[in-house]
Amino acid sequence: MVVHSAAELVLAGLDPEQRSAVTAPAGPVCILAGAGTGKTRAVTSRIAHRALTGEISARHVLAVTFTARAAAEMRSRLTVLGVQGVQARTFHAAALRQVRYFAPRLLDGRAMPELLDSKVRVVTLAAAKVGLRADRAAARDLAGEIEWAKSSLVEPGEYVVAAAKALRETPYEPAKVADVFAAYERLKRANGVIDFEDMLRAAVWGIEEHPDVAEQVRGQYRHFVVDEYQDVNPLQQRLLEAWLGGRNDVTVVGDASQTIYSFTGATSSYLVDFPRRHRNATVVRLVRDYRSTPQVVGLANAVIGQARGAEARLRLELHGQRPPGPEPELRIFTDEPAEANAVAARCRVLVEGGTPAKEIAVLFRTNAQSEAYEKALTEAGVPYVVQGAERFFERVEVRQAMVALRAATRSIPGETPLPVAVREALAAVGWAPDAAPAGGAARERWEALAALVQLADEYAATPEVLPIGEAAAVERPVTLSDFNEELARRAAQQHVPTVDGVTLASLHSAKGLEWDAVFLVGLSEGTLPTTYARTPEQVEEERRLLYVGITRARQWLWLSYASARSPGGRARRPCRFLPQLDRSGGGERAGGGVAARRAGVERRRTQVVSCRICGATLLAGPDRKLGRCPTCPSDIDEELYERLRDWRARVAGAQKVPAYVVFTDATLTALAERRPGRTEELVAIAGIGPRKLGLYGDAVLALVGGAAVDDIAPEKTFEISS
């Protein structure tokens, strides 16, 4: 009875769609979850509800995600819901632990090979073996191609054909890349090391080729949840199928409109085709957005509403649930330095006004755009952090710390608690708690190492549960070796610890995150979409990138671009995905005053029309005329509408023009709904400009005031310039 009461509490506060997801029957379930719609709450509540009602055992659940942060959030929420024992891991972490556990059996007693924390060094050597001199940037590009191939289950001998079929932009001639790929594989084998894709393949091989391993793994894990299912690649899907072993108790969660990682091998096809592959699947759509204001949600809907292609079949129209907030701002600048300086100045105003720096983000298409904003924020005195593994994990102090942590596994006793072990190891590179320098580079160094310490504390809070058999499982604390593997995984996946400051991030690395205030910058053709987006599918992925960026904002959103890269440079066009916002009011128009141009300040500011009912951003012309969303309730005065129609027909007949030339149906509807009583209220309705105000303004105001069409003086009704 108590158990069922706890299960009922899990359902409390869920919206109808979330409740449907939670209570869906056992078997294949597909949750299409839009940005900010509470997907984590839905999936953790589903796991908890099934466990608390006795339908499943928590220890038989494996929930896989794409980031350690998301996995930790799942575990935390399940604990709050009163459910212990669920394994929530990334694909890599889950596979690594299984391979490590079964290694003695799979490798005839030999230890598991060392796991590479980065492909770059070995790729550089492999390139030299085949006659290529690859600098660090080229080696990273080659490593990315190898990672794509291995994630796509492509072997070196198949690479040339597969790359051509996938329209890959290869760093070298495809045959040369294939040679580097083959040399890379030979070097790994010769040195007894493996990479993360090898580790996933080993997990698949262990299950597919060893019945005893398959029996034990499948006995332990019987119910599966896969988050961000639109981002799985063929190798990860094969591992999932190996875990399932023909069973179908799997819940997948995803949003096809957030498919932005196809360049890594990820594909939304598994999400799109899920109902077809599982004929009895339950499909639930979560569309209530609890993250962003209706204004932000409206803009996001307008951008993704024009999407085409396979992913668009699962497009979700979000409905904002938060109170109305400020309108999104579109700003145009003379050049990129002016844009960066304006963004930095606004960030400073936000911080001084009480917005925490960590709740502000500046998002751009490519990492190369970061430098201008780093410089501008530094000059404005605003702290910032660059999101992305290269900046954090490539820092000298972080690399030294990782070396010290690996060395400490040989000198610090294995039973030492992880937080203690990490602090002892970092003391060797000069880090000490409560000894932060006053500022500058020394302060940045201290904070970077402090971020590792905090990460260790968080990681230590999650014990590992290993499958032992049908009746039992063993829980053990995580070790320093485990933590080193976690850091290697994070470095490979560009997953950086949180440090305070305004976040500078590419749109790709911003996925899964959210902030109170978001600046989307550099929104010009050639940058977004990038010039490398040549096929319709690639262009649509660029559209989805902008959509992801918009939906990161909770409250305040700024969109901007520079008319030229540098002062006096060649003019550029705005991003094609930006809706045709109303530019009729506020700010200075393009080609404004000389002083403004010299100062490099904004040249035009967009006015966004809001729904007077729900506050959502209105972008379509008819909606802006009405002043409301088409789905919001109308408060039209039907009698006034009919009088306006009658009046319009008489005017059109006298002028010998179609009725819509006088006023469109949408304008008449807006007049009958909003019932303007003064000239200022009349001209506020889109579609009524100075000319129509002069021709028809007095007549319309008289009709709104209650006059009959026959009572209006003929000169007011039919006055035309001759």
Side-chain angles (χ1 to χ4, degrees):
M1 191 69 180
V2 174
V3 168
H4 282 283
S5 296
E8 290 168 6
L9 286 174
V10 169
L11 300 177
L14 298 177
D15 66 37
E17 296 81 16
Q18 291 171 340
R19 184 180 287 254
S20 296
V22 170
T23 58
V29 175
C30 179
I31 303 174
L32 301 175
T37 57
K39 63 167 184 168
T40 304
R41 182 179 188 185
V43 294
T44 52
S45 295
R46 174 168 173 77
I47 295 169
H49 188 263
R50 297 182 75 191
L52 292 171
T53 56
E55 179 185 343
I56 63 174
S57 170
R59 70 184 184 86
H60 291 318
V61 178
L62 177 59
V64 286
T65 72
F66 278 81
T67 68
R69 182 186 293 108
E73 177 67 15
M74 274 195 181
R75 292 191 295 266
S76 174
R77 293 197 186 202
L78 286 166
T79 299
V80 171
L81 293 171
V83 175
Q84 302 281 349
V86 171
Q87 289 298 289
R89 302 285 176 193
T90 65
F91 268 104
H92 289 88
L96 176 60
R97 280 155 176 75
Q98 289 180 19
V99 171
R100 185 201 297 131
Y101 180 76
F102 290 111
R105 194 183 313 179
L106 298 175
L107 302 176
D108 298 324
R110 288 175 290 140
M112 184 179 131
E114 180 185 348
L115 187 63
L116 284 175
D117 59 0
S118 171
K119 293 182 177 68
V120 173
R121 182 180 61 82
V122 180
V123 167
T124 302
L125 294 174
K129 290 280 188 183
V130 299
L132 287 179
R133 293 187 61 183
D135 60 18
R136 189 165 187 82
R140 283 199 300 267
D141 290 341
L142 285 166
E145 279 303 295
I146 292 171
E147 187 170 317
W148 168 79
K150 299 185 74 167
S151 296
S152 302
L153 301 176
V154 172
E155 300 298 331
E158 304 165 336
Y159 174 80
V160 173
V161 173
K165 187 175 180 181
L167 302 176
R168 300 290 294 179
E169 292 282 346
T170 59
Y172 293 96
E173 191 268 326
K176 273 295 183 185
V177 177
D179 291 342
V180 175
F181 185 5
Y184 168 80
E185 292 297 306
R186 291 193 295 270
L187 279 171
K188 282 198 294 95
R189 286 193 295 271
N191 288 279
V193 296
I194 61 174
D195 58 26
F196 279 93
E197 290 72 43
D198 294 330
M199 186 260 297
L200 289 175
R201 289 182 175 211
V204 172
W205 170 72
I207 296 171
E208 289 183 348
E209 302 297 329
H210 295 77
D212 57 328
V213 171
E215 181 180 4
Q216 193 166 346
V217 170
R218 292 168 183 164
Q220 176 66 43
Y221 299 121
R222 307 174 188 179
H223 320 285
F224 296 85
V225 173
V226 186
D227 192 16
E228 303 287 2
Y229 194 53
Q230 79 279 352
D231 290 334
V232 298
N233 59 45
L235 178 54
Q236 292 163 336
Q237 177 66 19
R238 185 162 174 179
L239 176 57
L240 175 62
E241 290 169 357
W243 283 335
L244 283 165
R247 299 168 296 175
N248 68 355
D249 196 340
V250 57
T251 297
V252 300
V253 190
D255 180 6
S257 295
Q258 296 189 65
T259 305
I260 60 173
Y261 294 116
S262 64
F263 66 94
T264 67
T267 171
S268 62
S269 63
Y270 302 117
L271 176 67
V272 172
D273 294 340
F274 190 87
R276 181 183 59 80
R277 289 185 291 110
H278 301 275
R279 295 294 183 183
N280 60 335
T282 300
V283 179
V284 181
R285 289 172 168 79
L286 305 184
V287 296
R288 303 180 197 230
D289 188 317
Y290 298 97
R291 173 189 299 161
S292 305
T293 64
Q295 286 78 4
V296 172
V297 170
L299 182 57
N301 285 338
V303 168
I304 206 64
Q306 303 302 313
R308 299 292 182 268
E311 289 81 7
R313 301 205 319 254
L314 298 185
R315 179 174 52 219
L316 301 169
E317 182 174 354
L318 302 179
H319 300 278
Q321 304 298 301
R322 292 187 59 183
E327 301 291 351
E329 297 182 58
L330 176 61
R331 302 294 181 91
I332 306 171
F333 298 89
T334 54
D335 51 62
E336 289 183 355
E339 182 182 14
N341 290 335
V343 167
R346 182 58 66 90
C347 286
R348 181 171 180 173
V349 169
L350 287 171
V351 172
E352 290 175 347
T355 302
K358 66 181 179 181
E359 289 297 344
I360 304 172
V362 180
L363 308 181
F364 31 74
R365 175 61 179 85
T366 65
N367 288 321
Q369 294 169 267
S370 174
E371 183 180 359
Y373 293 91
E374 293 180 49
K375 180 176 182 292
L377 288 167
T378 298
E379 292 176 351
V382 178
Y384 66 87
V385 159
V386 180
Q387 181 87 5
E390 182 179 272
R391 180 61 182 254
F392 182 83
F393 286 104
E394 292 295 324
R395 292 180 67 131
V396 172
E397 63 270 17
V398 173
R399 293 168 64 185
Q400 290 174 343
M402 292 175 71
V403 170
L405 288 168
R406 287 194 292 269
T409 60
R410 298 187 294 272
S411 59
I412 296 178
E415 64 274 11
T416 304
L418 178 60
V420 175
V422 168
R423 285 166 172 79
E424 289 183 9
L426 294 186
V429 292
W431 186 85
D434 305 320
R443 174 76 183 207
E444 287 185 12
R445 180 180 185 278
W446 186 92
E447 287 181 342
L449 299 183
L452 292 178
V453 172
Q454 180 181 348
L455 183 62
D457 292 345
E458 295 170 356
Y459 193 65
T462 307
E464 173 62 24
V465 178
L466 297 174
I468 296 301
E470 176 65 27
V474 172
E475 181 177 292
R476 68 168 178 82
V478 292
T479 66
L480 187 55
S481 294
D482 297 335
F483 184 61
N484 284 329
E485 290 166 356
E486 170 70 3
L487 289 179
R489 186 197 62 76
R490 281 173 170 260
Q493 295 186 355
Q494 300 193 2
H495 182 188
V496 178
T498 301
V499 183
D500 193 20
V502 171
T503 300
L504 300 179
S506 70
L507 288 164
H508 282 104
S509 63
K511 175 77 164 52
L513 304 175
E514 58 186 78
W515 296 270
D516 286 343
V518 170
F519 295 79
L520 298 180
V521 300
L523 301 181
S524 60
E525 286 289 311
T527 302
L528 184 71
T530 174
T531 53
Y532 297 111
R534 294 168 183 157
T535 68
E537 294 78 15
Q538 291 168 340
V539 170
E540 285 303 314
E541 183 148 331
E542 296 289 300
R543 182 195 305 277
R544 294 192 294 270
L545 262 180
L546 178 58
Y547 175 78
V548 167
I550 291 170
T551 55
R552 300 310 94 197
R554 299 191 192 105
Q555 181 77 9
W556 193 85
L557 179 63
W558 159 305
L559 306 96
S560 64
Y561 72 95
S563 296
R565 184 176 302 278
S566 56
R570 190 172 65 180
R572 297 184 298 191
R573 292 183 293 118
C575 168
R576 72 187 71 173
F577 309 132
L578 291 174
Q580 294 300 307
L581 303 179
D582 180 10
R583 294 179 170 87
S584 59
E588 187 176 10
R589 295 185 177 275
V594 174
R597 289 198 299 273
R598 286 177 180 168
V601 298
E602 63 201 67
R603 300 197 330 202
R604 178 167 50 186
R605 178 174 177 174
T606 296
Q607 289 290 317
V608 183
V609 180
S610 297
C611 172
R612 65 179 189 278
I613 308 298
C614 71
T617 302
L618 300 177
L619 299 163
D623 298 346
R624 296 202 302 273
K625 287 183 179 180
L626 289 176
R628 65 171 174 82
C629 302
T631 54
C632 282
S634 169
D635 54 354
I636 190 170
D637 183 330
E638 296 286 356
E639 189 273 334
L640 172 59
Y641 181 72
E642 290 305 320
R643 280 190 288 119
L644 287 167
R645 281 174 56 88
D646 185 9
W647 166 81
R648 181 182 65 172
R650 296 190 191 190
V651 174
Q655 296 182 2
K656 296 182 174 55
V657 296
Y660 68 81
V661 172
V662 180
F663 283 130
T664 64
D665 287 346
T667 300
L668 292 190
T669 302
L671 289 167
E673 286 187 352
R674 300 167 73 169
R675 299 182 285 280
R678 304 192 311 274
T679 300
E680 309 88 84
E681 296 173 350
L682 189 60
V683 296
I685 296 175
I688 302 181
R691 180 177 178 277
K692 291 192 176 182
L693 179 65
L695 289 174
Y696 314 125
D698 290 343
V700 169
L701 290 174
L703 289 166
V704 173
V709 175
D710 292 336
D711 294 338
I712 297 176
E715 65 272 12
K716 289 188 177 293
T717 305
F718 305 118
E719 184 181 27
I720 326 169
S721 30
S722 51

